[in-house]
Each structure stands twice: as structure tokens, then as C-alpha cells.
Amino acid sequence: MAAKLKKGDTVVVLAGKDKGKQGDILSVDPAAGKAVVEGVNMAIRHTRQSQASQGGRIPKAMPVDLSNLSVLDANGKATRVGFREEDGKKVRFAKTTGDVI
């Protein structure tokens, strides 16, 4: 099945402690059904100092379930994603506006 959410999409969180927050998808794991969204579901990770980076308490975005995310359309509202064929290719579109995502 084609992916409804892809890396780089701007999404809004529908449920959980970060409900209403928006961000861009940094990575998607379709097998686990999760995605990492920038600025959402942050956790503190304690890291050791190295030559490349300063150690300490570093905030890190943790995965969020795909069912708790929705794509933002051109109007900035949450929308569902549909698929249709244009010029022989399968494209994703926003169901509320009909615009290609």
C-alpha cells in the first residue's frame, strides 16, 4: 500500500500529550507504523561528551504513531489523504481541498 505520510510532510498531532502541535516529518518507519516529527514527543537523552559534541542532557524527538498524525492542507487544517491517477501516475491529494500534496 502507498504511504499516506512521507518525509517532509507538515503534520498536526491529533491525540496524546502533544495534541495540536505541528511539525515536519523527519523520518517514517512503515513497518512499525511510526514517524519522528520535529518538536513533537520530545525526550531527554543523557549523552557522554565526545570530540564532536558537548555532552549533557540533549532533547530528542521520539517516534509517534502514524494514526495520531494528519497532514495539513493548503489552508492549514488537518485533512485526510487520498490517491488518484494523473497522467498515468498515482498522486496523493488532500480530501478537503482536492489539491495535490
Side-chain angles (χ1 to χ4, degrees):
M1 188 174 115
K4 293 191 176 193
L5 299 174
K6 293 185 175 182
K7 180 179 176 179
D9 285 348
T10 304
V11 294
V12 63
V13 180
L14 300 176
K17 68 176 186 176
D18 294 320
K19 181 178 180 177
K21 285 190 180 178
Q22 299 177 4
D24 291 334
I25 295 180
L26 302 176
S27 67
V28 178
D29 183 6
K34 296 189 180 280
V36 176
V37 181
E38 133 183 78
V40 175
N41 197 20
M42 300 300 284
I44 300 294
R45 291 287 169 245
H46 299 269
T47 58
R48 185 179 293 244
Q49 183 176 355
S50 68
Q51 287 183 338
S53 65
Q54 180 71 28
R57 298 175 51 176
I58 312 265
K60 180 181 178 184
M62 301 303 286
V64 180
D65 203 78
L66 291 176
S67 65
N68 294 334
L69 301 175
S70 182
V71 177
L72 291 178
D73 62 3
N75 300 331
K77 294 188 176 185
T79 183
R80 291 181 295 165
V81 176
F83 295 95
R84 66 179 174 217
E85 275 200 33
E86 287 185 6
D87 301 327
K89 289 190 174 184
K90 188 185 224 184
V91 295
R92 299 180 309 149
F93 72 98
K95 290 220 176 181
T96 54
T97 60
D99 296 336
V100 174
I101 298 175

